[in-house]
Amino acid sequence: MMPSTDPREAALLAQLLAIPAEALEDELVRIATALGRELESAGQMMCSAESCTGGAIARALTETAGSSAWFDRAFITYSNAAKQQMLQVPGPMLQAHGAVSEPVVRAMAEGALRAAGVALAVSVSGVAGPGGGSPDKPVGTVWFGWAWRDGEQLRQDARCLLLPGDRREVRLRTACFSLLWAQVFARTGGHPA
């Protein structure tokens, strides 16, 4: 796990890692439901752009009846071609940095936000395993991106984590963290700093 200098992130990581593997799916739905209530009360909509989670974020967000009041759409962009076609992630960016990188998750979140016209977009790209890792990006490496509207401005944030566990656990913890951090945006009106 990469050390965090942000106390909120450290608290969310502690919360995330305390969830037993067998409880991750239920906890993901609980987090998504809580986020949905916050977005709905603020009159905001969100969307997701997912690679390594393959739709787990969107599935959790739509488990709650009435989620169409705050969830607009999901972009499942597992391949680089899908990232380029659906989210306008530049091909040279993917070639230079790889799909699991800060520039790419920022571009994914921005592309989703612009395409959906919502207040908040989350994006994820990672190495869930069991293969595919490298010395620079071992299994469990996940980049997270968020984009949100601040008046006429588009704002972004990105984080990288090295998550423990098997493929299922990495994917579920990824979905949980993306939505836990999205709650920070929802609670602060899009001003996480």
Side-chain angles (χ1 to χ4, degrees), residues 63-135:
E63 284 291 318
T64 303
S67 58
S68 61
W70 48 270
F71 183 71
D72 182 71
R73 67 186 80 175
F75 299 89
I76 312 305
T77 57
Y78 210 70
S79 71
N80 286 350
K83 290 172 181 66
Q84 292 175 71
Q85 293 166 2
M86 296 173 71
L87 301 172
Q88 283 65 58
V89 176
M93 178 187 290
L94 285 159
Q95 291 174 345
H97 301 284
V100 182
S101 65
E102 181 175 2
V104 169
V105 294
R106 284 179 178 270
M108 289 171 65
E110 180 178 343
L113 188 80
R114 291 187 189 281
V118 295
L120 173 64
V122 300
S123 65
V124 294
S125 187
V127 184
S134 69

Side-chain angles (χ1 to χ4, degrees), residues 21-94:
E22 62 276 4
L24 281 168
E25 288 186 48
D26 289 340
E27 186 64 13
L28 175 57
V29 172
R30 188 200 63 74
I31 293 165
T33 301
L35 173 60
R37 281 194 295 265
E38 291 183 46
L39 289 168
E40 186 172 16
S41 69
Q44 295 182 330
M45 299 280 289
M46 71 169 292
C47 68
S48 66
E50 303 180 56
S51 188
C52 64
T53 51
I57 295 168
R59 184 187 59 79
L61 289 168
T62 58
E63 284 291 318
T64 303
S67 58
S68 61
W70 48 270
F71 183 71
D72 182 71
R73 67 186 80 175
F75 299 89
I76 312 305
T77 57
Y78 210 70
S79 71
N80 286 350
K83 290 172 181 66
Q84 292 175 71
Q85 293 166 2
M86 296 173 71
L87 301 172
Q88 283 65 58
V89 176
M93 178 187 290
L94 285 159

